[in-house]
């Protein structure tokens, strides 16, 4: 008998839980690779091997008293990961559409592992470290597009926000793991201090690359690939079918997905044109270009909140404010980031997407203003206690980011786009994230070198803009199926700030469990009209799939 649960009245199987947990390992890989470099840049052996500024050296250029990275070298070592992820995010879409979501994620794990190996085998050539991070970034970037998309396509509407938020939770856990492992190896005073850190990432890629084959393929991708039988079986596993009632729910899901895929396939475009349509539009899909730019802005603004300023350079920042052990401070930030992401699982399911993003943007703006103002007006190296206030400000900023902008960004990306162009639009949006990720990681040493803590004012302004942008342009997608989201964006005259009150035709509110209501109506019609409704559904499946045998299996 299948193990079955309920999410707001909707049945889902244990497989759905495993989908959320296992694929979130992709987020751990992302977070682990992001978090490790901040502390590695301070490790003695890493500095001795790869730093380019050396002082107090002997005649042979050895045994120097001081090792430092120049801004260019530090920016390239940190930032080339983001260049790789940018390219990976764009390549991930055609791979995921061509081979399927599972094959794509397995291949991307292999690419990431190769990047780790390249880094581990470096001895004195800093360019090898940078290239290794570039290769790892290709896999990480592709995973960052594929994992939220796979999650959104597999889980039910009532659990989708929680499932995709697990991805962000895993990112924060990966960052925290990196901080803790770096703390544990920092006193080895040998190449093991950083090689162990890089090598442990391969454990995560192995878990995801192999474990993904224990989960079903995306039923929406299977339907699009003209595999209705496999799509039906995938839905049964996801829903945990063990009663006639649950079976009818699967029938409803199957019919809804099939009808939408059929409609989209009737207007299918060639490969190259489908990319162009993301920016030029398509007559069969309303607000297609709007949604492309919406995804790009949301992903870009997540980076412009300034969170990665702390994640990439946190150890260096807190070392500069007089903190004796900046590793500990990084762990504190990592713990705050991880713990507060748990709160997002509740916040984003119960308060939607828009309100948390708006409030989060305003809250983050306030604490960044405090962080920057203290650093500029009362430099912590000259005023005792100011460094502690800056750390508190940073923690409260990270707490908000982890609860709102961190996970919500990925949820919105996973549920905003129509199926026909979802992979490509998700890739474009994610590529925007990585573009700004690179710009921030590469130029931050130069900017902070010129304006110091005034950099916080820049991010404060971006957070304020982000709050207003969400209010005027982002539609509320919480509680809707992916097909209903597409219908909402296609509603003429509906403004983003009005979207929270929109419900699919025939429903009184989003609180009404959509699938359960459909099933209840199904049984009512079945009782009133005999076999008529069932026959109609059979005909819909038959017409949609083009396979007569499918209708007999519904």
């Amino acid at each position: 008998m299948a193990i079955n649960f309920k999410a707001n009245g909707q049945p889902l199987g244990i497989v759905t839980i495993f989908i959320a947990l296992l694929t979130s390992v992709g987020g751990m890989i992302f977070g682990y690779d992001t978090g490790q470099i901040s502390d590695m840049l301070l490790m003695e052996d890493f500095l001795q091997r790869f730093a380019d500024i050396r002082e107090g050296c002997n005649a042979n250029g050895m045994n120097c008293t001081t090792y430092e990275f120049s801004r260019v070298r530090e920016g390239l070592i940190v930032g080339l990961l983001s260049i790789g992820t940018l390219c990976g995010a764009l390549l991930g879409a055609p791979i995921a559409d061509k081979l399927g979501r599972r094959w794509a994620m397995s291949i991307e794990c292999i690419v990431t592992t190769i990047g780790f190996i390249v880094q581990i085998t470096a001895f004195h050539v800093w360019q090898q470290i940078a290239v290794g991070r570039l290769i790892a970034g290709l896999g990480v970037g592709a995973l960052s597009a594929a994992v939220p998309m796979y999650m959104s396509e597999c889980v039910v509407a009532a659990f989708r926000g929680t499932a995709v938020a697990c991805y962000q939770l895993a990112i924060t856990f990966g960052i925290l793991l990196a901080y803790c492992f770096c703390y544990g190896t920092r006193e080895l005073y040998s190449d093991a201090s950083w090689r162990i850190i890089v090598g442990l990432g391969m454990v995560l890629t192995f878990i995801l690359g192999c474990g993904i084959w224990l989960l079903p393929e995306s039923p929406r991708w299977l339907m699009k690939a003209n595999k209705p039988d496999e799509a039906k079986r995938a839905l049964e596993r996801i829903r945990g079918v063990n009663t006639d009632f649950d079976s009818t729910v699967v029938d409803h899901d199957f019919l809804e997905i099939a009808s939408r895929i059929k409609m989209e396939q009737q207007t299918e475009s060639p490969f190259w044109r489908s990319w162009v349509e993301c920016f030029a539009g398509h007559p069969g899909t309303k607000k297609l270009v709007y949604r492309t730019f919406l995804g790009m802005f949301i992903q870009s603004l997540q980076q412009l909140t300034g969170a990665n300023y702390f994640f990439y350079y946190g150890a260096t920042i807190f070392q500069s404010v007089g903190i004796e052990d900046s590793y500990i401070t990084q762990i504190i930030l990592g713990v705050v980031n991880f713990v507060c992401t748990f709160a997002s699982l509740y916040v984003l399911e119960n308060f939607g997407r828009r309100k948390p993003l708006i409030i989060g943007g305003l809250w983050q703006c306030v604490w960044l203003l405090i962080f920057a103002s203290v650093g500029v007006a009362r430099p912590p190296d000259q005023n005792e206690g100011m460094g502690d206030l800056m750390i508190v400000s940073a923690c409260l900023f990270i707490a908000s980011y982890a609860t709102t902008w961190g996970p919500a960004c990925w949820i919105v990306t996973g549920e905003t786009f129509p199926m026909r162009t979802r992979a490509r639009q998700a890739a474009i949006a994610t590529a925007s994230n990585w573009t700004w990720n690179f710009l921030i990681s590469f130029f931050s040493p130069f900017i902070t070198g010129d304006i110091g803590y005034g950099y916080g004012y820049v991010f404060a302004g971006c957070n304020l803009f982000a709050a207003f942008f969400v209010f005027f342009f982002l539609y509320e997608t919480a509680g809707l199926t992916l097909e209903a989201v597409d219908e909402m964006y296609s509603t003429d005259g509906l403004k983003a700030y009005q979207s929270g009150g929109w419900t699919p035709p025939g429903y009184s509110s989003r609180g009404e469990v959509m699938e359960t209501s459909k099933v209840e109506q199904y049984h009512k019609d079945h009782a009133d009209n005999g076999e008529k409704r069932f026959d109609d559904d059979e005909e819909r499946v038959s017409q949609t799939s083009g396979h007569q045998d499918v209708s007999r299996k519904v």
Side-chain angles (χ1 to χ4, degrees), residues 20-21 36 50 83 121 131-133 139 223 253 313 381 397 478 550:
L21 295 178
Q36 65 183 233
F50 305 114
I83 292 295
T121 55
V131 170
R133 285 177 59 80
M223 284 298 298
D253 289 349
Y313 297 105
D381 56 344
F397 163 82
V550 177

Side-chain angles (χ1 to χ4, degrees), residues 100-161:
R101 308 326 189 204
R102 292 188 301 176
W103 265 113
M105 285 186 272
S106 289
I107 292 172
E108 289 149 13
C109 285
I110 293 173
V111 172
T112 306
T113 301
I114 293 172
F116 290 153
I117 293 173
V118 171
Q119 294 176 68
I120 291 173
T121 55
F123 284 91
H124 297 286
V125 180
W126 71 270
Q127 292 92 337
Q128 185 173 341
I129 292 291
V131 170
R133 285 177 59 80
L134 176 70
I135 296 171
L138 287 171
V140 172
L143 284 171
S144 69
V147 171
M149 180 170 58
Y150 173 76
M151 284 181 168
S152 296
E153 291 176 356
C154 286
V155 301
V156 300
F159 189 65
R160 190 172 62 238

Side-chain angles (χ1 to χ4, degrees), residues 25 27 50-51 81-82 94 127 163 188 207 214 222 277 289 303 310 354 384 449 468 478 485-486 500 549 551:
V25 175
F50 305 114
L81 172 75
S82 303
Q127 292 92 337
L188 293 179
I207 292 173
L214 301 176
L222 289 169
E277 286 173 357
V289 178
Q303 286 297 315
F310 293 101
R354 283 171 47 85
E384 186 177 354
F468 281 97
V485 168
D486 192 42
D549 60 328
S551 64

